[in-house]
Amino acid sequence: MTRHLDPTRTLDPTKALHTWSLFRTMGRFVAPGSAPSGGLTENDAAGGLDLLELPGQLAAHGFSSAQLCHFYLPGTDPAYLAELRDGFDTAGVDLDCFLVDDGDLVHPEQGEEQQRWVSGWIEVAEQLGVPKVRVPAGDQAPTAETLALSARRLRALAAAHPSIRVLTENWKSLLVDAPTTQSLMDQLEGEVGLLIDTGNWDGEDKYQQIAAVAGVAECSQVKARESAPGVLDAEDLTRSLVTLREAGYTGRLSLVYAGTDDDEWGRLEQMHEIARTVTG
């Protein structure tokens, strides 16, 4: 059945970001034990913005919502998590989603262990009082077997943590395109939701791929790369935002700066100005 979408549909105007955008500002901090796959280099050297100072800085730059990367947490003891949670509350910055940025639920040897590891981070999200947590669906090639296994383990995670909404993302080796993502979502039957990242798929049909699944997404990451060194790709960012709107996405827009400029705050502000032209 053809969907008739309203081209004037508005998007959530909340000024929001994905904290990966501030990786340099945070001193490229990656907590020990938070990156078992090796995709990120663990680095606990001092020099960047302390995580407890982040809420105040977000508020000072006009952000009222954030998605928080798990690897920024230097510790997970209850006292520290309570202090961090209070910091976001005091600053008036909504922690919209906690991002578990590692783990492979469908690894052929370590999948069950990875599921337990991811579950532990969901417990951290619960202590932070975050309403949503995003976890990877898997990092193996998509087959009927890997998609079914991912669905089973994602549903088990959601069942084990009923107080928080578990989401997955069109990301890593498993969810390489819209058909595989839709296949997984069909098998999840609403028990796990979708976060759509506009920068995870490339190719000539990128926007069609995003549009095919964005309408069911509950959360987003709107990524901006560069069209040339130091030049923000404003055309791609605008097209991505329009694609989300016209696909029927109605959730929050969390900006992700993925360029080379060390002035991450400045580039995020440039992204926000572009987003305002689309959100109205």
Side-chain angles (χ1 to χ4, degrees), residues 135-151:
V135 305
D139 204 14
Q140 308 297 315
T143 64
E145 291 75 19
T146 53
L147 286 168
L149 179 58
S150 176

Side-chain angles (χ1 to χ4, degrees), residues 57-186:
Q57 285 297 305
L58 289 169
H61 286 87
F63 287 95
S64 57
S65 177
Q67 297 180 358
L68 179 63
C69 302
H70 85 282
F71 56 80
Y72 284 144
L73 273 66
T76 58
D77 61 276
Y80 180 82
L81 296 177
E83 185 177 7
L84 181 61
R85 179 175 181 172
D86 181 68
F88 277 96
D89 289 343
T90 300
V93 177
D94 173 39
L95 265 182
D96 180 53
C97 189
F98 187 74
L99 306 170
V100 183
D101 279 317
D102 210 312
D104 182 3
L105 299 181
V106 297
H107 190 280
E109 288 86 32
Q110 301 168 7
E112 290 185 6
E113 178 185 346
Q114 292 288 288
Q115 180 181 343
R116 290 190 292 271
W117 184 85
V118 169
S119 184
W121 281 105
I122 298 177
E123 292 174 4
V124 170
E126 290 170 323
Q127 292 181 69
L128 287 171
V130 183
K132 298 186 286 287
V133 58
R134 188 272 282 130
V135 305
D139 204 14
Q140 308 297 315
T143 64
E145 291 75 19
T146 53
L147 286 168
L149 179 58
S150 176
R152 186 166 69 249
R153 287 181 171 158
L154 285 169
R155 292 175 76 161
L157 287 170
H161 300 279
S163 67
I164 192 168
R165 178 63 169 165
V166 177
L167 309 175
T168 194
E169 179 181 337
N170 60 315
W171 185 37
K172 294 189 179 288
S173 299
L174 187 69
L175 301 185
V176 293
D177 55 24
T180 56
T181 300
Q182 189 59 62
S183 176
L184 178 64
M185 299 313 296
D186 289 345

